[in-house]
Amino acid sequence: QRFNNQGLKGSAVSLHPGGVQTDLARYIIGGVDAGDVRLSETAPPPSGIGGFLKGAVLDKVVLPIDQGANTQVFLAAGADSNGDLTKQTALYFDVMKPAKTNSAASDPVLASKLWDVSEKLTGVTFLR
C-alpha cells in the first residue's frame, strides 16, 4: 500500500521460512558461548527410537538445510511474479506458494501500529 501511495514500483511480501534442520538450537542450550559445534556434521546418525522418530516424523516436517532458504531466494529473485515486482504484492508465502493469513494480517489498525513501532525501534522513518 505504501509503495502504491508513493508511486513506487515494487512489492512487499512476507514468508514463513519453515522449520529447518540446523544446529542453531545449540545457542538455546549453550548461549552465545556455544561455539561453532556442528553436530549435524560431526555426530553419528541417530539409531533406535531416535532414528525411527527422525525418519518417520522429523524428516517429514522439517526442511533439510539445503532447502531451508528456498522461499526467501524464490521471492528475492522475483520468481513469484516472473520478475515483475509490481504484479503480486502484500502476499504471504509458505513453501514458495501464496498462503492464507489470519485476519490480523490484513488489519489496517494493527498494520499502522506495527509500522509505528518498527520506526521507533529502528530509528528510521520509512515511506509515509
Side-chain angles (χ1 to χ4, degrees):
Q1 178 184 348
R2 292 181 190 257
F3 284 160
N4 289 338
N5 292 346
Q6 295 291 321
L8 297 173
K9 290 187 175 188
S11 67
V13 294
S14 61
L15 65 103
H16 187 290
V20 182
Q21 294 180 27
T22 67
D23 293 323
L24 294 176
R26 70 180 178 265
Y27 293 111
I28 294 170
I29 298 165
V32 294
D33 298 323
D36 194 20
V37 178
R38 295 191 172 126
L39 293 176
S40 63
E41 296 173 9
T42 59
S47 59
I49 188 73
F52 170 77
L53 290 173
K54 182 180 182 312
V57 179
L58 187 63
D59 289 346
K60 293 186 179 11
V61 296
V62 181
L63 295 170
I65 291 172
D66 62 342
Q67 294 176 14
N70 282 359
T71 302
Q72 293 91 319
V73 173
F74 177 78
L75 293 172
D80 61 307
S81 61
N82 292 322
D84 182 354
L85 297 179
T86 62
K87 204 172 189 181
Q88 295 192 80
T89 189
L91 294 176
Y92 170 74
F93 284 78
D94 189 12
V95 193
M96 299 190 299
K97 293 182 180 142
K100 286 191 169 212
T101 59
N102 63 30
S103 61
S106 58
D107 182 324
V109 174
L110 285 176
S112 181
K113 287 180 182 179
L114 175 61
W115 195 273
D116 292 342
V117 168
S118 298
E119 286 184 336
K120 184 177 179 181
L121 291 173
T122 62
V124 177
T125 300
F126 299 99
L127 299 173
R128 285 276 167 196

